[in-house]
Amino acid sequence: MTDNSDAHRVLVVDDEPNLVEVLSMALRFQGFDVETAGTGREALAAVTRFRPHLMVLDVMLPDMEGFDVAARLGAQRTGVPIIFLTARDATEDKIRGLSGGGDDYMTKPFSLEELVARIRTILRRTGQAAAESAHLVFEDLEMDEESREVTRAGNAIELTATEYRLLRYLMLNPRRVMTRAQLLDHVWNYDFGGDGRVLETYISYLRKKLDVHGPSLIKTVRGVGYALQAPRG
């Protein structure tokens, strides 16, 4: 695992739930942030919302071909590297994928180890992760992703690993209301509703540590989730 792999976001697009689950678990184990989509439309929306550094894309999706997704992203000039992962192994499909916006083309069945290696190779080659700052800032709250140091108004804040992941996800999505399901999935890797009390407990821990140094930044949206928002007044 590389030192900065936790800064890499990977979008997995496939309509096979079992495959998506296996891929997501494997990539998260390697330190990646993972989001998934089951259709082409969901994938296009996720690119805007999640801002992935790389996409693993199936060709055969329910609403459109992966080739069409790649073409639309190319037209939008998103610059997201794409690895096609598909059962279609015909030479013409590989040529179409690689000439139509794909950076790599793998056929099923495949090796998870090889996929991870190819992901890392493309990330190094394209410099996707390096192009973004490893320093997150919201109001007077700062997070250095390389040193994992967190400060508020210049005061150092000691966080546990779980508290850090939770705060980091909120800081990557400032002013957006993140649902309980999203937070449980990204911080604890739950693929179901999970126990919301775990989330509430850690939100409470974070608030106690952050609010010592200024007005509360974490807002509760009743019945929905939480958002990192500037204090009023």
Side-chain angles (χ1 to χ4, degrees):
M1 190 183 304
T2 60
D3 292 340
N4 67 338
S5 61
D6 63 349
H8 300 165
R9 296 183 296 277
V10 177
L11 176 62
V12 176
V13 185
D14 201 297
D15 64 341
E16 296 181 44
N18 292 338
L19 176 61
V20 169
E21 182 179 5
V22 169
L23 277 177
S24 298
M25 289 180 61
L27 292 174
R28 284 174 178 139
F29 180 76
Q30 293 293 326
F32 295 102
D33 278 348
V34 182
E35 186 153 315
T36 65
T39 68
R41 290 183 181 85
E42 289 177 1
L44 294 169
V47 168
T48 300
R49 180 183 69 254
F50 184 57
R51 297 178 296 113
H53 294 108
L54 181 141
M55 179 189 298
V56 177
L57 179 62
D58 188 15
V59 171
M60 296 179 289
L61 297 171
D63 54 344
M64 66 179 77
E65 287 194 332
F67 299 138
D68 297 324
V69 174
R72 294 193 188 189
L73 292 175
Q76 296 170 9
R77 299 184 179 180
T78 60
V80 180
I82 296 172
I83 296 180
F84 284 108
L85 183 63
T86 177
R88 288 169 58 167
D89 59 358
T91 299
E92 55 265 31
D93 286 323
K94 294 179 182 178
I95 293 173
R96 183 180 176 190
L98 293 172
S99 62
D103 293 80
D104 206 341
Y105 195 104
M106 292 184 66
T107 55
K108 303 173 183 177
F110 63 97
S111 158
L112 280 171
E113 292 80 4
E114 181 181 357
L115 175 61
V116 170
R118 293 195 186 196
I119 287 173
R120 295 198 189 285
T121 297
I122 291 174
L123 288 172
R124 285 195 300 268
R125 187 175 72 224
T126 60
Q128 287 292 312
E132 292 197 2
S133 171
H135 196 72
L136 301 176
V137 179
F138 182 79
E139 295 290 312
D140 58 353
L141 182 62
E142 300 184 41
M143 174 181 285
D144 188 317
E145 293 194 277
E146 293 183 354
S147 66
R148 299 178 75 88
E149 294 177 347
V150 176
T151 62
R152 183 169 188 195
N155 300 288
I157 299 173
E158 296 295 328
L159 299 178
T160 66
T162 301
E163 291 166 352
Y164 178 89
R165 288 197 304 272
L166 177 56
L167 181 60
R168 176 177 178 271
Y169 189 56
L170 289 170
M171 292 186 73
L172 285 170
N173 297 277
R175 293 173 291 277
R176 288 184 55 220
V177 178
M178 309 308 297
T179 67
R180 288 182 172 83
Q182 286 175 313
L183 291 165
L184 286 167
D185 179 50
H186 284 272
V187 179
W188 285 272
N189 296 342
Y190 287 4
D191 57 357
F192 52 92
D195 186 348
R197 290 173 297 181
V198 173
L199 174 58
E200 290 167 4
T201 298
Y202 275 90
I203 287 289
S204 175
Y205 291 160
L206 267 185
R207 280 179 170 147
K208 288 179 181 177
K209 293 184 177 183
L210 299 180
D211 295 358
V212 171
H213 305 293
S216 182
L217 296 175
I218 302 175
K219 177 183 178 182
T220 299
V221 181
R222 194 172 300 278
V224 182
Y226 301 92
L228 197 64
Q229 295 187 354
R232 293 182 178 178

